[in-house]
Amino acid sequence: MTLDWHWKSAREIRDAVQSGAVSALDVTEAYLRRIDAVEDKVDAYTQRWNDTARSMATKVDEKVRRGETAGPLAGVPVALKELLCTRTGKTTCASKMLENFRSPYDATVVRRLEEADAVFLGKVNMDEFAMGSSTENSAIKPTRNPWNLRCVPGGSSGGSAAAVSAGECALSLGSDTGGSIRQPACLCGCVGIKPTYGRVSRYGLVAFASSLDQVGPLTRTVEDAALTLNVICGRDAMDATSADLPVPDFTAALTGDIRGLRIGLPKEYFTDALSDQMREKIEAAIEVFRDHGATIVDVSLPCSEYAIAVYYIICTAEASANLARFDGVRYGFRHPEAKTMQEMYVMSKSAAFGPEVRRRIMLGTYVLSSGYYDAYYLKAQKVRRLIKKDFDAAFEQCDVIAGPTSPTPSFEFGAKSDNPLEMYLSDIYTISVNLATLPGMSVPCGLTEAGLPVGLQLMARPFEEETLLRAAHFYEQNRGFDMGRPPVA
Amino acid sequence: MDYEAVIGMEVHVEINSKSKVFCSCPTDFHAPPNTNVCPICLGMPGALPVLNRDMVNKSIAVGLALGCKISRWSKMDRKNYFYPDLAKNYQISQYDLPLCDNGALEIEVDGGSKRIGITRAHMEEDTARNTHALGGGQSGIDFNRSGVPLLEIVTEPDIRSAREAHAYLTALKQILQYLDVSDCNMEEGSLRAEANISLRPKGHAEFGVKTEVKNVASFSGVQKAIEFEIARQEQVLRSGGVIIQETRGWDADRGITFSQRKKESAHDYRYFPEPDLPPIVVDDAWEQRIRHQLPELPMARKQRLEAQYGLSGYDAHVITLSRNFADYYEKVVASGADPKKAANWLTVELQALLSEAKAEITACRVAPDALAALLKLIDTGEINGKIAKEVLAEMFTSGQSPDSIVQEKGLNQISDTGAIEDAVKQVIGASPNQVAQYKEGKEKVFGYFVGQVMKATQGKGNPQLVNEILRRELGR
């Protein structure tokens, strides 16, 4: 029975492969067929690694045949975001700058997945250098939302979310700097978690904003997210910002018991900026918690209104330095007509970075410039601390903060791409979590009348992913409806 | 009107830790180009820095040796500028919170001593090296040096002359070598010095406009460049001109400084805290651990050698110039040699052999106890000083003990009165003219007799006995 493997959870696949009930190769072939069937509509993949996938799967099968215990993600087909460094294939960051770039090493998370016996199907689309909320900023191609092909999958991990949602992989790794895992997970109806800053190694994640970036999984179930976190979390000697804390078995947190859990609702997240169709679904989700013994409390995050401003100063400042290395000297695009060193820099960067990347580099350069530093960057750092204090205070009153992931469901291509400010507002509810270095996640909580997914966002104290997963898992098991599958064939 | 020079120094020192400051690549950049490199020091996408603890330890040691305050909390920053030798197009450095600040270094100049304030010492990474000698209009970049640990040491504007600058560099290098944290080889670039120079009318408090002199390959070059720059600025000012704030290079061949970069084109480095690295928190225990490991520093050792062994200030100075040399000296003395004689033999004879062989004391085949044994042979009259020099030279090349050389070559001093008397009589008998001259009162001729007797004894005659017997025999 191989028919529907592409809709199985990572957990089901892992168990079946480990026990020998199915071969990893059969599962892989099922996914390859699924990709063949829907990819021309979804366009999630930027690289397909069919041979790599088959050979990885074969290795897992040999392991099982030898009687060894296959890893915790044995035979699970995975798609990797384009900005994770891999020795296999290219690492393009969906940019013309790196269209032919091959990384000499694997990112720590990639290595950990491989050691857990996962199978890599290829790499998936994203906004160029993770800058965007719709994947429209990809220099490679647009990716479509499996729930409505006229709509965007969100971003920047849009390819990851679309692939998971369309059954083109069992799980995917994305990265989240201001919402780039949670927002596309919300728009595509899947589970996405941004772990606490420092929980997952950033080594080999091409940096956008170093103090905000974090790698995390996009999955179809909460349990799969826990399973993936078990594999990718933990101290890495190659990342000085990775936390030296023990990694629990996250799946053990999925007890289904939320009695006594205090859930805070920040009043700043339920204003007019939230569309009615989203509000309705979020409020219904809160009721599920209330009905099962959680305590619902009102909390306030008064500095929320500054989050977007603070974020676009800090992330652009860091990005302006992080992207400076793409200069055409050692790798990446070098303009063939550049004759001097100055021309090499200016012409290469101008030609190979898209407009959003250029905009952010210029913004970041500006806010760090002599005479502006204090007014922008330094002030933003101060407000960032205030935002964190808001959360500290709120978490005195509650264990989990709940709210919308995105102010609106998915939107049609081009709807916001001419107005960067409006696009920036897509992340209004997710950005604070990054600024405050908290764990945050999005869980599907229904469909709008137009059939577009809505996501419930949950946030917890630093390094309390277990609380987050417990709440999300409880909700998933008790929401009282099935999200169903996207209409893509 | 008299002018006074105001000079501050910035010195970059390559710290000799085994691996680079943010990755595990070896720091040996003499390897073939681009062999000691990895994704981190090449600035590959996704690579992250991790601060080398040995670099922090050595930097703290330098800070303590320079009397600096060690920051309980400091951080790394990004210094942004574009240049092909800078892998990430930002240098990881320290901006407003350096690891060490507020110290001082005592220097000796013109017989007196002077305190030069140390503003700060901060950690950073070295850049790659560009080469334009590949031909065909191509430039090459060698990233072996990219990420080599650098400590930048900045002084207060306390230096008033080129000689003081030279003395400062000498004293600093001495300390760094005592700490064994750097080769301090200026020609190879493991120590790089820049001088900020301005002039002001003597007695004025405010500074004049400064120029910065870079790219000098030796301490004497620094001294000459500062001398030139002071003279140049004075000439400009005396002729009613103004000094332009700029960076000036040093042309050693022509002995002049020349304008390299005007201030208007100075960079805005857009410093901001390095988000990839956590802050550096040095607690009391850490600082104490390093403090306990500090060796005795040059100035303290010099003073102790003077007091303990009765050495002259000059000898103590020469011996303590290098820690290894001073260690060697104290081992010779510990092996029983007379401290003053040991100092003489070390600073004159052995030093001469070392200089000729261009060898370091650490590579010297003469063991300290062997040198002490040689001095003992002189003391006991086994050999004379002249023979001892030959023996030392032999020891230096063969590594043999002085006793075996003396035995093997039959160099024992002749202290047998009869044998010397025979030789004296023979010489006197063969030199009637000289005897006559001597008897006429020509004292100078006495030297001739000594020389002849020594020749007859193959240099082994006990000089004192030779003198005595000659006087007696000639006086008859």
Side-chain angles (χ1 to χ4, degrees), chain A residues 267-331:
Chain A
K267 63 170 193 256
E268 293 80 5
Y269 284 31
F270 293 89
T271 63
D272 291 346
L274 180 62
S275 66
D276 288 341
Q277 43 183 351
M278 303 297 276
R279 178 195 300 268
E280 188 189 306
K281 299 292 172 193
I282 303 298
E283 285 174 351
I286 305 296
E287 287 313 306
V288 175
F289 284 100
R290 197 197 303 273
D291 290 348
H292 288 78
T295 310
I296 310 298
V297 294
D298 288 329
V299 295
S300 178
L301 301 168
C303 290
S304 294
E305 60 174 307
Y306 306 114
I308 292 243
V310 167
Y311 175 82
Y312 278 97
I313 289 169
I314 291 173
C315 82
T316 58
E318 292 181 5
S320 73
N322 283 332
L323 273 64
R325 69 186 64 190
F326 304 108
D327 56 8
V329 174
R330 287 143 300 140
Y331 50 76

Side-chain angles (χ1 to χ4, degrees), chain A residues 182 269 401-405 429-430 433 441-442 455-459:
Chain A
R182 292 158 289 157
Y269 284 31
I401 291 174
T405 303
Y429 301 125
T430 46
V433 165
M441 92 186 271
S442 182
L456 170 73
Q457 186 180 209
L458 301 170
M459 312 159 211

Side-chain angles (χ1 to χ4, degrees), chain A residues 105 204 322 324-325 327 330-331 370, chain B residues 42-46 87 89 268:
Chain A
Y105 70 101
N322 283 332
R325 69 186 64 190
D327 56 8
R330 287 143 300 140
Y331 50 76
S370 168
Chain B
L42 286 172
M44 299 301 282
N89 286 316
D268 174 0

Side-chain angles (χ1 to χ4, degrees), chain B residues 173 177 182-191:
Chain B
K173 176 178 172 178
Q177 289 186 328
S182 176
D183 309 339
C184 298
N185 188 330
M186 229 176 159
E187 270 155 25
E188 289 189 357
S190 61
L191 188 151

Side-chain angles (χ1 to χ4, degrees), chain B residues 355-396:
Chain B
S355 305
E356 201 187 340
K358 291 197 174 73
E360 292 293 323
I361 189 80
T362 43
C364 182
R365 300 188 70 179
V366 181
D369 58 346
L371 181 59
L374 178 70
L375 299 187
K376 196 165 188 183
L377 290 179
I378 305 172
D379 272 356
T380 57
E382 291 276 308
I383 56 172
N384 63 37
K386 188 162 171 285
I387 295 288
K389 286 182 197 173
E390 288 173 27
V391 175
L392 182 64
E394 180 62 29
M395 290 162 73
F396 189 81

